[in-house]
Amino acid sequence: MKTRMGWIVAAVAAIVSGCSGAGMFGSTPNPAGGLMTQQNAGNDMVSGMMAKQQFQQEMMKNPDLPAWHAQREKMAMAVGDRVFDKGFDRVFDSMITTLASLGCRVNNMERASGYITSSLPQLPPEQQEGLRKEALAQYAQAKGYPPSVLQKGQFDFDMGAMMERQGGAGLTLSMVKQSPRQTKVKLRFDGIYYPRQVEELYRKVWSEVDKQMFLDKALD
C-alpha cells in the first residue's frame, strides 16, 4: 500500500508527465528548457506538499508554543479566579446551571470537593473559524513554515479542530469554601492552546456566570 506521500509524488509525476506532451501538436523552440521548467515545477509541488505534511504532523504531535503557554499562564492569574460573596452550595448550583445554559456536557461533578469538569461551550461558528485560522497562521510562522502550508487542499483535515480533539479540550471548575458566605472559583480550560481563544472562552463563561448569579439572588 502506498503511503500518503507516495500518492502525492505519484500524482505530481503524472501531472508533470502529462504536461511534457503539451508541445506535441505545436512547435517547441527549446524542448530541453521546457522539460526543465516542468521538472522544477513538479519538484516545487512535491516540496510544498511535503512541507504541509510535516507541518500537520508537527502540530498534531505538539500543538502548543512556549509563547502561547506563557500568555495563558498570565491570563489564568488575571481572570481565571473569582471570589463570590455567596455560600458554597449556592455557587456550586449556579455553576451547574451555567454550564447547562452554555450547552456544556458535564463529565464529572463532585460537590464534596467542589470539582466540576465539562465539555467546552461553543463560540459562534464564524468567530471560532477565525480564531482557528489565526492560531494556524501564528503556529506556522513561529515554526518557520511558509504561508503555503495553510492553503487548503481537497484532502486536508481541519487542523484547528484536530488540535482541540488531540488535547482533550474541556473546562474545569474548582470551588473552595473560604467562609460561610464566600466561595472562590477557579476556571481553567484544558486542551485549548491559542490564547485568544482562551480569552474568548473566559469572557463567555464568566458573562454567563454573572447572569446566573443575578437570577439566583432570589434564592439566597
Side-chain angles (χ1 to χ4, degrees), residues 10 33 44 53 57 59 61 63 80 91-92 94 97 99 108 121 125 134 166 176 180 185-186 200 202 206 211 213 215:
D44 289 342
Q53 185 181 49
Q57 290 175 344
M59 177 165 278
K61 184 178 179 181
V91 172
F92 191 92
S94 294
T97 305
L99 293 176
N108 187 35
E134 287 179 20
Q166 288 290 110
V176 178
V185 179
K186 287 188 175 184
E200 293 301 324
Y202 270 123
W206 285 136
K211 292 177 185 177
M213 288 292 185
L215 294 173

Side-chain angles (χ1 to χ4, degrees), residues 1-7:
M1 181 180 290
K2 292 185 178 180
T3 63
R4 182 182 179 189
M5 186 49 60
W7 282 112

